[in-house]
Amino acid sequence: MRADSEHPTHLWVGRNTAHLTEHGPGGTRTGRTARLEPSATHRVDVTVTPEAVRVVDGRQRLTLRATWRDPARGAGGFALGSGVPEGAGPGVSWPRFHSPGGEVTQVTPAGG
């Protein structure tokens, strides 16, 4: 979240954990890690405001509050990444992302 801003925030979701990390001019700041119900799929709701990034998966909630006062410093886009290493073969499962409107984005290898 906040891609191409002064404070890009990364969400990492695994089989049974999730955590937020912010990379800013003053270094890296890591939020708490949440334990998730072990599952191959997770529904994650993300809310980005000038004050904070909030992530909710079921009963777990992660919040990383902004440390700056000027909202423009945290303005940026939303980027998705697969976490699958470059050159992964056809046997590797690629993630799917669903938007609230029901659209599905299937992440695939470049050129694939």
Side-chain angles (χ1 to χ4, degrees), residues 1-97:
M1 289 72 65
R2 294 192 172 114
D4 295 325
S5 78
E6 286 186 34
H7 300 272
T9 304
H10 300 167
L11 167 64
W12 182 89
V13 179
R15 179 170 155 52
N16 63 344
T17 57
H19 69 264
L20 283 168
T21 304
E22 177 191 289
H23 303 277
T28 299
R29 189 167 63 107
T30 302
R32 74 177 185 90
T33 297
R35 304 280 302 158
L36 306 176
E37 277 298 316
S39 176
T41 64
H42 291 283
R43 177 193 165 115
V44 179
D45 295 307
V46 178
T47 304
V48 180
T49 67
E51 294 80 29
V53 172
R54 290 180 188 81
V55 178
V56 179
D57 174 70
R59 295 178 305 236
Q60 298 297 326
R61 179 184 203 139
L62 294 171
T63 301
L64 199 55
R65 299 206 179 279
T67 57
W68 60 91
R69 298 283 182 235
D70 179 7
R73 293 182 65 194
F78 197 93
L80 298 173
S82 69
V84 176
E86 186 176 333
V92 174
S93 294
W94 289 80
R96 296 178 108 158
F97 300 95

